[in-house]
Amino acid sequence: MGLARVLSVALAGVQGTVVEVEAHISPALPSVTIVGLPDAAVSEARDRVRAAALNSREDWPMQRITVGLYPATVRKAGSGFDLAIAAAVLLAAGAAPAHSLDGAALLGELGLDGRVRRINGVLPAVLAASAAGVKRVVVPHVTAAEAALVPEVEVLAVRSLGQLMAVLRGEELAEPVAQPIVDDDDDRGPDLLDVIGQAGGRRALEVAAAGGHHLLLLGSPGCGKTMLAERLPGILPPLSPSEGLEVAAIHSVAGALPAHCPVVARPPFRAPHHSASMAALVGGGSGVIRPGAASLAHRGVLFLDEAPEFHRGVLDALRQPLESGQVEIARAQATARFPARFTLVLAANPCPCARGTDMADLSCQCTPLARQRYLAKLSGPLLDRVDLRLLLPPVSRADLLGGERAGESSSDVAARVRKAREQARQRFAGTPWRLCGDVPGPELNVRWPVPPRVLAPLHREADRGRLTARGMHRTLRVAWTLADLAGRDGPDVGDVAEALQLRAGVG
Ligand SMILES: [Zn+2]
């Protein structure tokens, strides 16, 4: 008598660990002790669960209550253990059949009035519980659709502690859980049809999508950099169900999933402002660690407009996800990991005064040194990973008046992108890479050699000191993507020449 166990989940990043929550009641002066590496918010559960139980008209045992969270080595953060703690105590006190929550994982914060409040990260928590063999979860009602995304798990959605206890006692029926609505797959967001002119920019976008190449767009304000960047997700293939679940799990931890439509079917787009903090860009925060824009853009596009205006340290922090495809945030007791594999699009003005693209515009007074310094903020390790660098011309009067709408819709371009990606996938079968943009350094030319005749333009540029060894590898990666887009077995001289053009501008 006086002992009950339920389960819950401790999250670090999107990784969850199933935690056993044990309540023991013994005859002594009334007190509540929580043991097992709780953080401040978990310790405060003491007061919340007692008030919640009393306000739910449940009998709170006036004895010594000890709550243990095991394994004790796993860090427990946040208020998401409230519901499990309250249920364990009430079961130990005999408020409902002792085994009515056996094997079930409970997630949720309690309000003082007994309401079960939303917590972030329900989806990755339920995924972790399911992976550990848990077949039944109890979640806040507002997160029911999110939890229901996980197959083969029975979801009990509750609005209050009182409702949960009434269901366990058989006094009420559980509320039915609506199946999550799948987003319309045809909705590609803004369409390329709306972009006037900028044939070069559109081509670079297509190449970036086909090869997974990062992209730098240089051009004066109003030339359409943001318009182009926003249209990149619309020409990427839709996410597979497992990719969608992976992306939704990250968004769940950020509290960014819509309640009724938690399915993510399209690659996400994130455009943090240049004043963004380190935590906003790569993740962090106190208590429960939140993902940043880099992770929220996972399997989609991260767009940094006015990139040279970002804090240097914040830009440098992008090196880790660009290298490893994930972000690691270390804390005293735990390391949170968030996936962060995105296509990076950087946009910048050509010079500090932003008028420098138009060579005829003599109003630009920026010295060559000032220009160099401005773009130097992007140089080095970050720019080194950007295969495509494009100088966009100002939109001309002819483009605007001539109705030269270049005609292609996002779905037409997306069809070519899909074919090109399929060709690359077949070539790279049996390697860790899927796209040309994934292949590091000289590997491409070692494994899939290109005839010297085709490489001649690259060597010519290198001989003139206009192309570094790294630049050659980047250009070759792009040339392979151009070949994939054209359905050729490998790059020809024309592909190499176009690839060289697509890295003009800087670097
Ligand atoms: Zn200028």
Side-chain angles (χ1 to χ4, degrees):
M1 157 70 205
L3 182 73
R5 273 190 206 99
V6 300
L7 303 176
S8 191
V9 178
L11 272 186
V14 285
Q15 268 82 47
T17 309
V18 172
V19 170
E20 217 172 61
V21 179
E22 192 178 78
H24 183 241
I25 301 175
S26 53
L29 283 178
S31 67
V32 183
T33 312
I34 299 179
V35 298
L37 205 58
D39 79 346
V42 179
S43 299
E44 285 162 11
R46 263 200 315 248
D47 306 320
R48 276 194 306 271
V49 294
R50 183 168 171 274
L54 292 174
N55 287 321
S56 306
R57 297 168 193 277
E58 297 291 334
D59 287 329
W60 187 255
M62 293 309 284
Q63 288 171 302
R64 176 191 288 173
I65 301 168
T66 309
V67 175
L69 306 171
Y70 308 108
T73 47
V74 174
R75 178 179 185 263
K76 290 102 187 165
S79 44
F81 298 98
D82 289 4
L83 187 60
I85 292 172
V89 171
L90 292 177
L91 287 188
H99 297 291
S100 53
L101 283 172
D102 276 2
L106 288 81
L107 309 164
E109 179 185 312
L110 285 174
L112 298 178
D113 57 358
R115 264 181 313 140
V116 176
R117 297 165 62 163
R118 159 184 211 114
I119 55 165
N120 292 337
V122 163
L123 175 55
V126 176
L127 282 169
S130 170
V134 172
K135 297 280 179 239
R136 195 171 159 223
V137 294
V138 182
V139 301
H141 190 269
V142 280
T143 62
E146 204 179 304
L149 289 176
V150 183
E152 291 169 35
V153 172
E154 183 199 335
V155 177
L156 174 57
V158 292
R159 300 171 191 271
S160 68
L161 180 60
Q163 185 191 13
L164 171 63
M165 298 314 290
V167 169
L168 295 181
R169 285 193 290 259
E171 298 163 2
E172 280 182 31
L173 286 177
E175 283 187 56
V177 171
Q179 282 308 300
I181 303 162
V182 178
D183 210 352
D184 184 2
D185 189 42
D186 289 338
D187 181 18
R188 296 181 177 276
D191 200 286
L192 272 175
L193 273 175
D194 311 328
V195 180
I196 297 164
Q198 294 301 11
R202 300 158 64 103
R203 175 68 168 165
L205 218 56
E206 180 174 338
V207 177
H213 303 285
H214 305 303
L215 171 65
L216 168 67
L217 296 171
L218 283 175
S220 45
C223 74
K225 289 171 292 193
T226 302
M227 265 191 110
L228 284 167
E230 285 171 345
R231 282 157 178 77
L232 182 50
I235 59 172
L236 291 169
L239 302 179
S240 70
S242 67
E243 289 171 338
L245 211 51
E246 187 186 35
V247 172
I250 302 168
H251 290 219
S252 169
V253 178
L257 272 189
H260 299 292
C261 183
V263 180
V264 180
R266 295 297 318 169
F269 178 80
R270 278 292 185 282
H273 189 256
H274 59 70
S275 63
S277 66
M278 190 81 89
L281 195 65
V282 294
S286 56
V288 177
I289 299 168
R290 283 163 161 266
S295 291
L296 293 169
H298 179 57
R299 301 217 178 273
V301 176
L302 179 66
F303 176 50
L304 304 187
D305 197 10
E306 303 192 49
E309 305 290 337
F310 280 72
H311 297 290
R312 185 72 185 250
V314 170
L315 285 180
D316 283 346
L318 284 176
R319 285 163 60 183
Q320 188 195 41
L322 285 173
E323 273 160 32
S324 65
Q326 66 171 7
V327 171
E328 276 188 24
I329 302 158
R331 285 291 158 79
Q333 307 285 357
T335 299
R337 287 188 187 82
F338 291 105
R341 199 174 288 285
F342 48 81
T343 299
L344 179 66
V345 180
L346 302 169
N349 296 322
C351 67
C353 87
R355 289 190 288 262
T357 310
D358 193 348
M359 293 310 167
D361 186 350
L362 299 176
S363 60
C364 169
Q365 305 275 316
C366 301
T367 63
L369 186 64
R371 284 175 178 237
Q372 216 173 31
R373 276 208 194 121
Y374 180 69
L375 290 173
K377 288 185 76 177
L378 294 178
S379 69
L382 190 59
L383 209 52
D384 208 44
R385 306 199 164 264
V386 177
D387 290 346
L388 300 167
R389 297 131 185 234
L390 198 69
L391 188 60
L392 293 169
V395 175
S396 72
R397 184 175 286 264
D399 280 335
L400 288 173
L401 295 180
E404 186 73 47
R405 291 183 64 108
E408 269 194 314
S409 68
S410 289
S411 63
D412 289 343
V413 180
R416 281 199 300 273
V417 167
R418 194 173 56 238
K419 277 172 94 173
R421 283 184 165 229
E422 178 55 27
Q423 179 165 317
R425 198 184 61 77
Q426 286 179 11
R427 178 173 60 248
F428 296 141
T431 75
W433 315 306
R434 292 198 319 185
L435 302 167
C436 298
D438 298 337
V439 186
E443 294 276 355
L444 202 50
N445 209 32
V446 171
R447 299 210 193 193
W448 295 274
V450 172
R453 177 184 58 82
V454 173
L455 291 180
L458 288 182
H459 290 298
R460 255 197 316 275
E461 287 297 297
D463 290 344
R464 290 174 190 160
R466 292 204 290 237
L467 198 60
T468 61
R470 284 164 186 269
M472 272 182 84
H473 299 317
R474 285 195 297 264
T475 312
L476 196 57
R477 278 202 290 261
V478 172
W480 272 97
T481 298
L482 293 170
D484 287 337
L485 275 168
R488 277 190 285 277
D489 291 339
D492 63 14
V493 179
D495 294 327
V496 170
E498 187 181 353
L500 276 169
Q501 274 175 21
L502 284 169
R503 65 175 307 283
V506 287

